[in-house]
Amino acid sequence: AQKVTQAQTEISVVEKEDVTLDCVYETRDTTYYLFWYKQPPSGELVFLIRRNSFDEQNEISGRYSWNFQKSTSSFNFTITASQVVDSAVYFCALSEAPGAGSYQLTFGKGTKLSVIP
Amino acid sequence: GAVVSQHPSRVICKSGTSVKIECRSLDFQATTMFWYRQFPKQSLMLMATSNEGSKATYEQGVEKDKFLINHASLTLSTLTVTSAHPEDSSFYICSARDWGDTQYFGPGTRLTVL
């Protein structure tokens, strides 16, 4: 069975601080996908990144960066120089790899990030 | 690209009536769409997986006769909540899987049953 754990329920930071959101996953699959989604107060889930299990390169996109460590089954997300607009609930998710089935997402419980001006 | 729309965004209905929610992938074809339900301050709960042209696969505990799903085309899936009751009040979100195996989500529908 697949499982995603986001141990941080809520985090508050002051604007311009860096913040890291943790994500630990469990799966028996040898190939899989990992995702991060952002859910602002409006409710819509915004896709941020997808990572294939065979690609352990870290990724940077503007102020966002992701650290994928297969050895520790972690896929952490760092926001540099946080802004008020970053305030949202962030979900980490895991899905089966191509051809393995229905591509259902297993979500973590989410981390609510509040950036204080 | 990869935009998913959902309509209506908000609906209030009387107990016993039926409500239809539409989910459309606007700029890509989606062979698979998913329907989720989200309670306040909780994560998303998968209700069903919908494949174009075939019957939906429901998760355990989800009543298929109550939550009717139709996936008539590669860009449209509908969820009908039949004989709605106050306990069906929730935030319903759909997603569509693109050819790259990423799910893109609609903006959600907030259903309130009086």
Side-chain angles (χ1 to χ4, degrees):
Chain A
Q2 298 185 327
K3 184 179 178 182
V4 176
T5 302
Q6 294 180 255
Q8 306 148 307
T9 306
E10 292 192 37
I11 301 176
S12 289
V13 298
V14 176
E15 201 171 19
K16 296 185 183 178
E17 286 185 347
D18 299 346
V19 58
T20 295
L21 310 182
D22 298 333
C23 174
V24 175
Y25 63 92
E26 295 176 29
T27 180
R28 292 180 182 174
D29 296 333
T30 53
T31 54
Y32 47 88
Y33 292 124
L34 292 163
F35 300 82
W36 275 95
Y37 289 90
K38 173 183 180 180
Q39 187 176 37
S42 61
E44 179 174 1
L45 267 82
V46 178
F47 166 74
L48 296 179
I49 189 171
R50 186 189 81 180
R51 173 62 71 215
N52 295 342
S53 56
F54 53 80
D55 181 3
E56 287 194 68
Q57 269 194 329
N58 292 329
E59 181 150 343
I60 298 175
S61 176
R63 296 184 297 107
Y64 295 170
S65 63
W66 291 268
N67 184 342
F68 177 30
Q69 301 243 338
K70 215 168 178 178
S71 60
T72 56
S73 297
S74 65
F75 187 42
N76 297 337
F77 173 31
T78 297
I79 301 174
T80 304
S82 59
Q83 300 176 1
V84 173
V85 293
D86 297 327
S87 297
V89 178
Y90 291 85
F91 290 99
C92 180
L94 169 70
S95 81
E96 297 165 322
S102 63
Y103 308 95
Q104 291 180 2
L105 287 171
T106 300
F107 282 92
K109 293 190 175 181
T111 297
K112 182 179 180 181
L113 173 65
S114 299
V115 180
I116 304 164
Chain B
V3 178
V4 177
S5 71
Q6 205 171 322
H7 179 79
S9 58
R10 190 178 293 268
V11 58
I12 301 172
C13 68
K14 291 183 179 179
S15 187
T17 60
S18 294
V19 174
K20 180 186 279 189
I21 303 170
E22 288 189 353
C23 177
R24 292 180 186 272
S25 56
L26 298 184
D27 51 1
F28 66 100
Q29 293 184 328
T31 54
T32 308
M33 289 185 169
F34 302 84
W35 287 95
Y36 296 83
R37 185 172 178 176
Q38 187 178 31
F39 292 102
K41 298 187 179 182
Q42 292 191 25
S43 188
L44 283 75
M45 182 190 79
L46 179 65
M47 298 175 66
T49 301
S50 168
N51 289 301
E52 185 263 339
S54 62
K55 289 184 179 180
T57 302
Y58 290 81
E59 294 301 298
Q60 194 172 6
V62 178
E63 298 175 60
K64 61 180 68 176
D65 294 331
K66 180 165 190 62
F67 298 100
L68 300 178
I69 291 171
N70 184 279
H71 194 156
S73 76
L74 287 172
T75 59
L76 173 64
S77 176
T78 61
L79 167 68
T80 302
V81 183
T82 62
S83 188
H85 290 287
E87 58 264 30
D88 298 325
S89 298
S90 192
F91 190 56
Y92 293 88
I93 310 174
C94 72
S95 71
R97 178 175 71 86
D98 73 353
W99 294 106
D101 300 330
T102 294
Q103 284 187 38
Y104 294 93
F105 287 80
T109 296
R110 189 160 302 284
L111 171 63
T112 302
V113 185
L114 302 176

